[in-house]
Amino acid sequence: MIKPAQLKSAPQTVKSDPDTPTLLGVLARQQILTPEQIEKVGVEQASTDREIREIILEHNYASVEQLAKAEAQVYNIPFLDLGETAASPDALGRLPRAVAERYLVLPFTYDTTNNQLSLAMANPKDLQAIEFIEKKSGAKIRPFMSTPDQIKKAIAINYEESLSIEVKAALKETAMPAKEAAIDLAKLGEIIREAPIAKIVSTLLEFAVKGRASDIHIEPEEEKTRIRYRIDGIMHEKLVLPKKVHEGLISRIKILSGMKIDEKRLPQDGRFSFRADGQEVDLRVSCLPTVHGEKIVMRLLKKSGGVIDLPELGLRGVALKNFHDSILRPHGIIIVCGPTGSGKTTTLYSGLSKINSPKVNIITLEDPVEYEILGVSQVQVNPAAGLTFATGLRSFVRQDPDIIMVGEIRDKETTGLAVQAALTGHLVFSTLHTNDAAGAIPRLIDLGAEPFLLASSMTCIVAQRVVRRICLDCKEEYTILPEVVANLKKILGNLYKYGDKPKLARGKKCPKCNNTGYLGRIGIFEVMPVSEKIGRLTMERASAADIEKQAVEEGMITMKQDGYLKVLEGISTIEEVLRVAEE
């Protein structure tokens, strides 16, 4: 913990002990300020006696965040990014909102063992504030450096957010000592039926639905339990709970999802449903033993809401036409590629919904069935009972199907059966874990498919990723640098039609988008129809690079190009496209 004496002795001017870091010295080492700027600031500071940070900000030599990080080094205090930190209800309960706003501070963790409150401060040199907050909270203060803007936003979010308030209220009701959490199963049974634990679980679930989360992570650490949500594909830490409630919380979720509460050494899986905000949600629950206790991850699958149309997913133009033409063919294989969480299953469901009618028999084999489609026979794999992708696919051909969807091609047997089904007049949909469309063909050959059979059975290959959409409530335009324009022109080639000074968009960050600048997601795609020339390259076992080159010559728009076109249209940002599509 930093001592007040250290803060008092922290240098504020250019002149200081040579062994003590100065603000200008730190900024120089980090190459944020040039030697000329340092000299100018030093002269101005000596002649006017103003604060160095004030002069730097006035001349726009460094950002507020860069200054705060440098000052944190000078004062020997950790810098805290509040955008990536959740405040615990225990800590927030120790300091009223009015005090936090007055001194521009945010309490984010409370150490019960040492009676220590960790405090993010815009001005950690304010010893009067530290002294007052110590008296008000009854705890020792451990200061952290942050920026004024971050603290203001964090105060608004954490003191108003229903998640923290409701959990805080539930925690007050729990009179559960830390030691009692691991006493015996009989007492644990009483704890998990208590209203506070049940209230915390239901609050976590309701917040996930309201916040559009796809996953909830309950992660035990040495002294606390943290709750993280995956929203628009990015993890956000939303809550920190005291360790004493962890056992009750995990056991409550285990009972709801049909797991054994006395089995703590082995991973377990389960599922349950609940209703929130008028929506019915299925949860797939996975429990994993870790060194600090059991970790639970819950995947949320909304039953209501229906299947999204292909244009809404982000498919348009030539890519949409090629995919649409492929799914209307009576037989062949259509593969959707991408890593886990890239929206492959959603695209398959959209394609199936487009061709679903009483005139065709559609059967799907999935792991698990994520959404129910009216009029489609959906089967969930069950390896324990012997129902795998391969055994299910073998049975499917005796069910007189027109269209078959196999959740994933992952082994030699499934590959062979999918190719045979396509050659015998069925339309087969499936997914594959490859990075791009051209890489799917060499991957299928690796899995044992004969090149000449692939060439005659493959119809279309789609590769995709999902990028976050810019929040419409805080969207702003800005002009980009000439070198960025040059890069866009180079990647897009003859697809670029936006002039020499295009304006891009970004989110300024607002409460509606949870101060991220993004709200919702959209897909970026590359759709590769398997033409006669690509079929010939398949038979020659050509490399993915050669196949992609041929596809681009035939008019395929690559995933990165599709992403950049969506950037130029103000739908997403360059950073998002590079995050998911940079090779």
Side-chain angles (χ1 to χ4, degrees), residues 352-374:
L352 286 177
S353 297
K354 189 79 181 169
I355 53 178
N356 182 21
S357 78
K359 296 178 182 179
V360 290
N361 177 22
I362 304 175
I363 308 179
T364 76
L365 184 61
E366 304 170 60
D367 182 20
V369 174
E370 293 192 13
Y371 302 99
E372 292 176 19
I373 306 173
L374 197 66

Short mmCIF file of all heavy atoms in Angstrom, two decimals, residues 352-374:
data_model
loop_
_atom_site.label_atom_id
_atom_site.label_comp_id
_atom_site.label_asym_id
_atom_site.label_seq_id
_atom_site.Cartn_x
_atom_site.Cartn_y
_atom_site.Cartn_z
N LEU A 352 -31.55 -23.10 -44.19
CA LEU A 352 -32.59 -24.15 -44.12
C LEU A 352 -33.98 -23.54 -44.09
O LEU A 352 -34.91 -24.04 -44.72
CB LEU A 352 -32.38 -25.01 -42.86
CG LEU A 352 -31.23 -26.02 -42.89
CD1 LEU A 352 -31.12 -26.73 -41.55
CD2 LEU A 352 -31.42 -27.05 -44.00
N SER A 353 -34.16 -22.44 -43.32
CA SER A 353 -35.47 -21.80 -43.22
C SER A 353 -35.93 -21.27 -44.58
O SER A 353 -37.11 -21.27 -44.88
CB SER A 353 -35.43 -20.64 -42.22
OG SER A 353 -35.13 -21.13 -40.95
N LYS A 354 -34.95 -20.84 -45.38
CA LYS A 354 -35.26 -20.28 -46.71
C LYS A 354 -35.86 -21.35 -47.63
O LYS A 354 -36.72 -21.05 -48.45
CB LYS A 354 -33.97 -19.73 -47.32
CG LYS A 354 -34.13 -18.94 -48.59
CD LYS A 354 -34.61 -17.54 -48.30
CE LYS A 354 -34.79 -16.73 -49.58
NZ LYS A 354 -35.48 -15.47 -49.34
N ILE A 355 -35.39 -22.60 -47.48
CA ILE A 355 -35.87 -23.66 -48.39
C ILE A 355 -36.83 -24.63 -47.72
O ILE A 355 -37.27 -25.60 -48.34
CB ILE A 355 -34.66 -24.44 -48.99
CG1 ILE A 355 -33.75 -24.97 -47.88
CG2 ILE A 355 -33.89 -23.57 -49.95
CD1 ILE A 355 -32.58 -25.78 -48.38
N ASN A 356 -37.15 -24.34 -46.45
CA ASN A 356 -38.08 -25.23 -45.71
C ASN A 356 -39.51 -25.06 -46.24
O ASN A 356 -40.01 -23.94 -46.34
CB ASN A 356 -38.02 -24.87 -44.23
CG ASN A 356 -38.90 -25.78 -43.38
OD1 ASN A 356 -39.25 -26.88 -43.80
ND2 ASN A 356 -39.25 -25.32 -42.20
N SER A 357 -40.12 -26.16 -46.62
CA SER A 357 -41.52 -26.13 -47.08
C SER A 357 -42.12 -27.53 -46.90
O SER A 357 -41.39 -28.51 -46.71
CB SER A 357 -41.60 -25.72 -48.56
OG SER A 357 -41.26 -26.82 -49.39
N PRO A 358 -43.46 -27.66 -46.96
CA PRO A 358 -44.08 -28.99 -46.82
C PRO A 358 -43.67 -29.97 -47.93
O PRO A 358 -43.88 -31.18 -47.80
CB PRO A 358 -45.58 -28.69 -46.89
CG PRO A 358 -45.71 -27.24 -46.55
CD PRO A 358 -44.46 -26.59 -47.06
N LYS A 359 -43.07 -29.45 -49.01
CA LYS A 359 -42.73 -30.31 -50.15
C LYS A 359 -41.40 -31.04 -49.98
O LYS A 359 -41.05 -31.90 -50.79
CB LYS A 359 -42.67 -29.47 -51.43
CG LYS A 359 -44.02 -28.87 -51.80
CD LYS A 359 -43.90 -28.00 -53.03
CE LYS A 359 -45.25 -27.37 -53.37
NZ LYS A 359 -45.16 -26.51 -54.55
N VAL A 360 -40.58 -30.64 -48.95
CA VAL A 360 -39.29 -31.30 -48.77
C VAL A 360 -39.16 -31.88 -47.37
O VAL A 360 -39.76 -31.37 -46.41
CB VAL A 360 -38.10 -30.32 -49.02
CG1 VAL A 360 -38.00 -29.95 -50.48
CG2 VAL A 360 -38.21 -29.07 -48.16
N ASN A 361 -38.38 -32.96 -47.25
CA ASN A 361 -38.13 -33.59 -45.96
C ASN A 361 -36.73 -33.19 -45.50
O ASN A 361 -35.73 -33.57 -46.10
CB ASN A 361 -38.24 -35.12 -46.12
CG ASN A 361 -37.92 -35.85 -44.82
OD1 ASN A 361 -38.02 -35.28 -43.72
ND2 ASN A 361 -37.52 -37.11 -44.93
N ILE A 362 -36.68 -32.39 -44.43
CA ILE A 362 -35.38 -31.92 -43.90
C ILE A 362 -35.11 -32.59 -42.56
O ILE A 362 -35.96 -32.59 -41.66
CB ILE A 362 -35.37 -30.38 -43.71
CG1 ILE A 362 -35.72 -29.66 -45.03
CG2 ILE A 362 -34.03 -29.90 -43.19
CD1 ILE A 362 -35.85 -28.15 -44.90
N ILE A 363 -33.91 -33.17 -42.42
CA ILE A 363 -33.48 -33.78 -41.15
C ILE A 363 -32.15 -33.16 -40.74
O ILE A 363 -31.25 -33.01 -41.57
CB ILE A 363 -33.31 -35.32 -41.26
CG1 ILE A 363 -34.57 -35.96 -41.86
CG2 ILE A 363 -33.02 -35.93 -39.90
CD1 ILE A 363 -34.46 -37.46 -42.03
N THR A 364 -32.03 -32.80 -39.46
CA THR A 364 -30.76 -32.24 -38.97
C THR A 364 -30.20 -33.11 -37.85
O THR A 364 -30.95 -33.73 -37.10
CB THR A 364 -30.93 -30.80 -38.44
OG1 THR A 364 -31.57 -30.84 -37.16
CG2 THR A 364 -31.73 -29.93 -39.38
N LEU A 365 -28.89 -33.14 -37.76
CA LEU A 365 -28.18 -33.85 -36.69
C LEU A 365 -27.23 -32.84 -36.05
O LEU A 365 -26.29 -32.38 -36.69
CB LEU A 365 -27.39 -35.02 -37.29
CG LEU A 365 -26.67 -35.95 -36.31
CD1 LEU A 365 -27.65 -36.62 -35.36
CD2 LEU A 365 -25.89 -37.01 -37.07
N GLU A 366 -27.51 -32.48 -34.79
CA GLU A 366 -26.80 -31.35 -34.18
C GLU A 366 -26.24 -31.70 -32.80
O GLU A 366 -26.68 -32.64 -32.16
CB GLU A 366 -27.76 -30.16 -34.05
CG GLU A 366 -28.40 -29.75 -35.36
CD GLU A 366 -29.52 -28.74 -35.16
OE1 GLU A 366 -29.25 -27.66 -34.62
OE2 GLU A 366 -30.67 -29.03 -35.54
N ASP A 367 -25.28 -30.89 -32.37
CA ASP A 367 -24.69 -31.07 -31.05
C ASP A 367 -24.43 -29.70 -30.41
O ASP A 367 -23.35 -29.14 -30.56
CB ASP A 367 -23.36 -31.84 -31.17
CG ASP A 367 -22.71 -32.11 -29.81
OD1 ASP A 367 -23.43 -32.05 -28.80
OD2 ASP A 367 -21.50 -32.36 -29.79
N PRO A 368 -25.41 -29.12 -29.68
CA PRO A 368 -26.78 -29.59 -29.46
C PRO A 368 -27.72 -28.91 -30.45
O PRO A 368 -27.29 -28.10 -31.27
CB PRO A 368 -27.04 -29.10 -28.03
CG PRO A 368 -26.34 -27.78 -28.00
CD PRO A 368 -25.11 -27.93 -28.88
N VAL A 369 -29.04 -29.22 -30.34
CA VAL A 369 -30.05 -28.50 -31.12
C VAL A 369 -30.19 -27.12 -30.48
O VAL A 369 -30.62 -27.00 -29.34
CB VAL A 369 -31.41 -29.25 -31.10
CG1 VAL A 369 -32.48 -28.43 -31.78
CG2 VAL A 369 -31.26 -30.61 -31.77
N GLU A 370 -29.81 -26.07 -31.23
CA GLU A 370 -29.78 -24.73 -30.64
C GLU A 370 -31.10 -23.99 -30.81
O GLU A 370 -31.54 -23.29 -29.91
CB GLU A 370 -28.62 -23.91 -31.23
CG GLU A 370 -27.27 -24.47 -30.81
CD GLU A 370 -26.12 -23.53 -31.13
OE1 GLU A 370 -26.36 -22.35 -31.46
OE2 GLU A 370 -24.96 -23.98 -31.05
N TYR A 371 -31.73 -24.10 -31.99
CA TYR A 371 -33.02 -23.47 -32.23
C TYR A 371 -33.94 -24.48 -32.88
O TYR A 371 -33.49 -25.27 -33.71
CB TYR A 371 -32.88 -22.25 -33.17
CG TYR A 371 -31.94 -21.19 -32.67
CD1 TYR A 371 -30.63 -21.12 -33.13
CD2 TYR A 371 -32.35 -20.27 -31.72
CE1 TYR A 371 -29.76 -20.15 -32.67
CE2 TYR A 371 -31.48 -19.28 -31.25
CZ TYR A 371 -30.19 -19.23 -31.73
OH TYR A 371 -29.33 -18.28 -31.26
N GLU A 372 -35.21 -24.42 -32.52
CA GLU A 372 -36.18 -25.34 -33.12
C GLU A 372 -36.79 -24.68 -34.35
O GLU A 372 -37.23 -23.54 -34.29
CB GLU A 372 -37.25 -25.70 -32.09
CG GLU A 372 -36.71 -26.56 -30.96
CD GLU A 372 -37.74 -26.84 -29.89
OE1 GLU A 372 -38.95 -26.70 -30.18
OE2 GLU A 372 -37.35 -27.21 -28.77
N ILE A 373 -36.81 -25.43 -35.47
CA ILE A 373 -37.40 -24.92 -36.71
C ILE A 373 -38.64 -25.75 -37.02
O ILE A 373 -38.58 -26.98 -37.11
CB ILE A 373 -36.40 -25.04 -37.89
CG1 ILE A 373 -35.07 -24.35 -37.55
CG2 ILE A 373 -36.98 -24.42 -39.15
CD1 ILE A 373 -33.99 -24.56 -38.60
N LEU A 374 -39.76 -25.08 -37.16
CA LEU A 374 -41.05 -25.74 -37.41
C LEU A 374 -40.98 -26.53 -38.73
O LEU A 374 -40.53 -26.02 -39.74
CB LEU A 374 -42.15 -24.69 -37.48
CG LEU A 374 -43.60 -25.21 -37.34
CD1 LEU A 374 -43.83 -25.76 -35.94
CD2 LEU A 374 -44.58 -24.10 -37.65
#
